[in-house]
Amino acid sequence: NALKTRLLDRLRQAHSQRMHLNWVPMLEWLAGVETELGECAAKLLERDGEVELSKRGARVITHRAQLKPEECVLAERVVAALGEGYDTPSEEELQAIDAKTELRPVLENLVEEGKVIRLGQGVLLATEAVNKARKLALMVLEREGALISGDFKTLLHTSRKFALPLLEQFDAEGLTLRDGSRRVLRTR
């Protein structure tokens, strides 16, 4: 019981420090607690309806991410700036939308909420744009058997700066397998 109380207090404390996020990573929440004991206490807290556990982490059942009013405005403006295209602004350009409001918690919230995907090389894209690119890649892969990175860039009407991180994302998801400058469907 003491461990459950301590873990619940620790989770509440983490939420109070990061109100913009729903989830606290499990490793962070259970840091310093023997693994099996921490996992057991976490499952008991979940069973008792105190916390929710997921692959994203843990959260107190009553906690919901909250942005400050100025962060909500910035979040809407960031989503609009990213749009549905692939030539998206950099983080520095996004911060310039509102230099007074910190961008980091807004981006963390948008990523956690599934509205924005952070790709490699600092590329940020709206989730809809990534989904559209995935569908186009699948269509070409099923029809042609392979997808050449230069052709993918042309298909998306974008540059290598944005096309390559998308292809790397598809590799990381297990959708594609890189073979030189081309991608093939990964067999499952």
Side-chain angles (χ1 to χ4, degrees), residues 164-175:
L164 288 179
L166 276 164
L167 290 171
E168 291 166 358
Q169 175 71 22
F170 302 153
D171 294 342
E173 292 172 1
L175 177 67

Side-chain angles (χ1 to χ4, degrees), residues 90-159:
S90 67
E91 283 193 42
E92 293 76 26
E93 293 166 320
L94 291 171
Q95 181 62 71
I97 292 171
D98 180 354
K100 295 177 189 172
T101 305
E102 187 182 358
L103 180 65
R104 183 193 51 78
V106 171
L107 286 179
E108 288 176 352
N109 177 271
L110 290 171
V111 168
E112 186 182 80
E113 295 290 329
K115 296 177 182 174
V116 171
I117 295 178
R118 185 184 296 274
L119 302 175
Q121 301 171 31
V123 172
L124 295 164
L125 291 175
T127 301
E128 295 90 27
V130 174
N131 291 339
K132 186 170 84 174
R134 186 182 297 107
K135 286 178 186 174
L136 287 169
L138 272 170
M139 185 177 71
V140 171
L141 286 162
E142 289 170 352
R143 187 179 66 229
E144 307 288 330
L147 177 63
I148 310 237
S149 57
D151 294 342
F152 187 61
K153 172 188 77 144
T154 303
L155 181 67
L156 296 180
H157 305 288
T158 192
S159 65

Side-chain angles (χ1 to χ4, degrees), residues 36-54:
E36 287 182 26
L37 194 58
E39 289 173 358
C40 181
K43 287 177 183 170
L44 287 172
L45 285 165
E46 182 180 41
R47 183 201 69 195
D48 295 345
E50 297 280 348
V51 302
E52 182 179 355
L53 305 176
S54 84

